[in-house]
Amino acid sequence: MGVIQWIVNLGASVFLPILLFIFGLILRIKPGKSFKAGLTVGIGFIGLNLVIGILTTNLGPATKLMIHNYGLHLQTIDVGWPAASAIAYGTALGALAIPIGIIVNIILLGVGLTKTLDVDIWNYWHVAFAGSILYMLTKNMWLGIFCMIVVTMFTYFFADLSAPTVEKYYGLQGISFPHGLSAPGYVFALPFKWLFDRIPGLNRVHIDAETIQKRLGIFGDTTVLGAIIGLIIGLLAHMTVAKVLNLAVSMAAVMMLMPRMVSLLMEGLTPISEAANSMVKKHFPGRKLYIGMDSALAIGQQSVLSASLILIPITLLLAVVLPGNKVLPFGDLATLPYFFALFAAVFEGDILRTVIAGAVDIIISLYVATWFAPVVTKLAIAASFNMGGNSSISALSDGGLWTNWIYLVIGEKFQWWGLGALFLIALGLLIWLKNRDAKQMEKIEKA
């Protein structure tokens, strides 16, 4: 456990390159090429974190000013995913999520019930978060462990189900997103796609980043759009002219730099992905394999970023007007691109549809995060987390995730029976997806 915790503490930008280097050697990639690929991915993550840091550093003061100017006095602070992940891995069960996730992945790959080979080990914190909360609610360690298994199975189902859309829209060949926050968004967005396609008028409108740029010229450019959104947020925060302009340039920088950092990630992943698929074709003809990666690969896409920046002031407004909400959005405002990474793929880059469906998702997240606040606060105290003087904390990310609410409400109320039912549902969905894909492959071969 000490070794696992040490690996976790390295962070994704360090241990992921090491893991990819070893994986590359297993795939018989030359050591030099494998090392360069892993190192490039690590550099990409560092660059991505720097850009998100720019977003967080500049949004933080603007958010605080808006809170002060408009008298927002919500009692629970959203501490964001960095704090939530630290809390999740800092609990008694937290570090167990990594070996549990790896074992479940190996078993499912072995029996052919998933196509995802998950190398995104650090993001097992999403699994740790759910299992630790159920342990906190029930005081049953084994129930918490079983919850981690169930959550992992659903995550691989979401990843496999969304992988073809991820490949088609983002051009990420052989990549899937077994990401606890982003992957459920694919399933959430599907009913909205069905609905939007049947609303007269809306079903004929498609507003993506390219359309906006074509119609608005320079004002539709995503970098300029970022500057405009920064100006609006700065003005809403009643900042000085100098600070408003600084925020505008910073938001423009995020819009320009984020896609470039993602391209670095892809540059490193490409040789690993190609070698993995070549190995699968050679040893398992007719079977496809996805490399499971962080959805950070998608957050730099222009429609994702544009919709997420538009949703920042909308999120704050919803927090104020929704009756019964107690959560003040803060830490996860800069994380919104992860929320909507797969929304944009489902809606084929339509910013309007992403914003509408995203606003509904935020409403649900605020209420779920409010419901989770007492137990997240207790979990933070148990993990010796410094709450910065706040008496109540939550997180819009995993603390507001609708799937976590389902897992934990059922797990707490019905315990073994409830989680057993969810286990069977997850198993049934994985079998259904395997059979569906097999039938589709047969049709393609016959054609």
Side-chain angles (χ1 to χ4, degrees):
M1 293 301 296
V3 171
I4 292 171
Q5 192 62 54
W6 182 81
I7 292 172
V8 168
N9 292 338
L10 288 176
S13 60
V14 176
F15 85 77
L16 190 55
I18 295 172
L19 183 66
L20 289 173
F21 170 65
I22 296 171
F23 187 43
L25 294 179
I26 294 171
L27 294 173
R28 298 183 179 180
I29 300 175
K30 291 181 180 180
K33 187 176 181 181
S34 182
F35 177 78
K36 178 69 181 297
L39 187 61
T40 302
V41 170
I43 293 168
F45 266 108
I46 289 174
L48 196 62
N49 288 333
L50 288 173
V51 177
I52 292 175
I54 294 172
L55 186 62
T56 305
T57 301
N58 288 276
L59 271 182
T63 303
K64 287 181 179 178
L65 283 171
M66 279 191 277
I67 292 168
H68 174 75
N69 293 337
Y70 298 103
L72 311 184
H73 299 294
L74 298 168
Q75 63 191 56
T76 300
I77 186 71
D78 159 36
V79 294
W81 75 264
S85 63
I87 293 169
Y89 276 140
T91 63
L93 289 185
L96 282 175
I98 291 179
I100 288 171
I102 292 172
I103 291 169
V104 172
N105 192 209
I106 291 171
I107 292 172
L108 292 178
L109 280 169
V111 298
L113 288 182
T114 185
K115 298 177 182 177
T116 293
L117 173 60
D118 192 1
V119 301
D120 186 26
I121 293 175
W122 191 84
N123 270 315
Y124 282 130
W125 77 262
H126 298 282
V127 176
F129 187 87
S132 297
I133 285 187
L134 189 60
Y135 177 41
M136 178 69 65
L137 290 170
T138 63
K139 308 302 180 185
N140 188 326
M141 181 185 70
W142 293 108
L143 197 64
I145 291 173
F146 188 39
C147 179
M148 291 183 187
I149 294 171
V150 171
V151 172
T152 303
M153 291 174 68
F154 271 105
T155 301
Y156 291 138
F157 168 71
F158 294 144
D160 286 352
L161 184 68
S162 60
T165 304
V166 168
E167 281 192 331
K168 180 181 178 181
Y169 181 68
Y170 293 114
L172 300 174
Q173 297 298 318
I175 300 292
S176 68
F177 293 149
H179 190 274
L181 174 59
S182 300
Y186 178 80
V187 177
F188 187 90
L190 288 176
F192 285 92
K193 176 177 173 57
W194 181 90
L195 177 64
F196 293 152
D197 286 343
R198 285 158 179 78
I199 296 177
L202 185 60
N203 58 6
R204 294 193 297 271
V205 175
H206 185 78
I207 304 175
D208 57 15
E210 291 76 16
T211 302
I212 292 175
Q213 185 170 353
K214 183 178 179 181
R215 294 188 178 183
L216 299 181
I218 185 63
F219 294 103
D221 181 89
T222 51
T223 305
V224 177
L225 184 62
I228 293 171
I229 293 171
L231 282 172
I232 294 171
I233 293 174
L235 292 172
L236 289 173
H238 298 171
M239 301 173 81
T240 64
V241 173
K243 289 182 177 180
V244 169
L245 294 175
N246 185 70
L247 181 61
V249 175
S250 297
M251 295 302 99
V254 168
M255 296 292 278
M256 177 175 285
L257 294 175
M258 188 85 80
R260 300 189 182 188
M261 295 305 104
V262 172
S263 68
L264 272 179
L265 287 172
M266 280 311 303
E267 182 182 329
L269 277 174
T270 298
I272 302 290
S273 178
E274 289 176 349
N277 280 305
S278 297
M279 182 199 72
V280 171
K281 288 178 182 178
K282 181 179 179 181
H283 296 286
F284 305 96
R287 186 175 177 184
K288 185 164 186 176
L289 180 73
Y290 299 118
I291 304 299
M293 280 298 301
D294 193 313
S295 57
L297 292 172
I299 66 171
Q301 202 273 342
Q302 294 177 341
S303 292
V304 176
L305 278 176
S306 299
S308 300
L309 289 178
I310 292 169
L311 279 161
I312 288 172
I314 292 175
T315 299
L316 287 168
L317 175 63
L318 288 171
V320 176
V321 301
L322 288 175
N325 171 59
K326 297 179 181 178
V327 174
L328 177 62
F330 183 69
D332 271 326
L333 287 176
T335 311
L336 291 186
Y338 288 90
F339 282 67
F340 310 121
L342 290 179
F343 280 53
V346 171
F347 301 133
E348 298 177 342
D350 192 301
I351 295 174
L352 177 61
R353 293 186 178 197
T354 302
V355 168
I356 295 172
V360 177
D361 185 50
I362 289 297
I363 291 171
I364 294 172
S365 296
L366 286 168
Y367 281 124
V368 173
T370 296
W371 183 85
F372 269 132
V375 69
V376 172
T377 302
K378 289 180 182 178
L379 197 66
I381 294 170
S384 302
F385 178 76
N386 182 3
M387 298 198 300
N390 298 295
S391 59
S392 177
I393 66 170
S394 192
L396 270 184
S397 49
D398 276 39
L401 194 59
W402 60 275
T403 46
N404 276 347
W405 186 83
I406 293 172
Y407 303 143
L408 297 172
V409 167
I410 291 176
E412 181 188 18
K413 188 170 183 179
F414 302 104
Q415 301 206 4
W416 288 106
W417 287 104
L419 281 182
L422 288 176
F423 173 84
L424 292 175
I425 291 171
L427 185 62
L429 289 171
L430 288 166
I431 293 171
W432 165 80
L433 187 59
K434 178 185 177 181
N435 293 335
R436 189 202 69 172
D437 290 348
K439 289 178 181 178
Q440 289 179 347
M441 185 63 68
E442 286 179 10
K443 289 181 180 179
I444 293 172
E445 289 175 353
K446 288 179 180 179

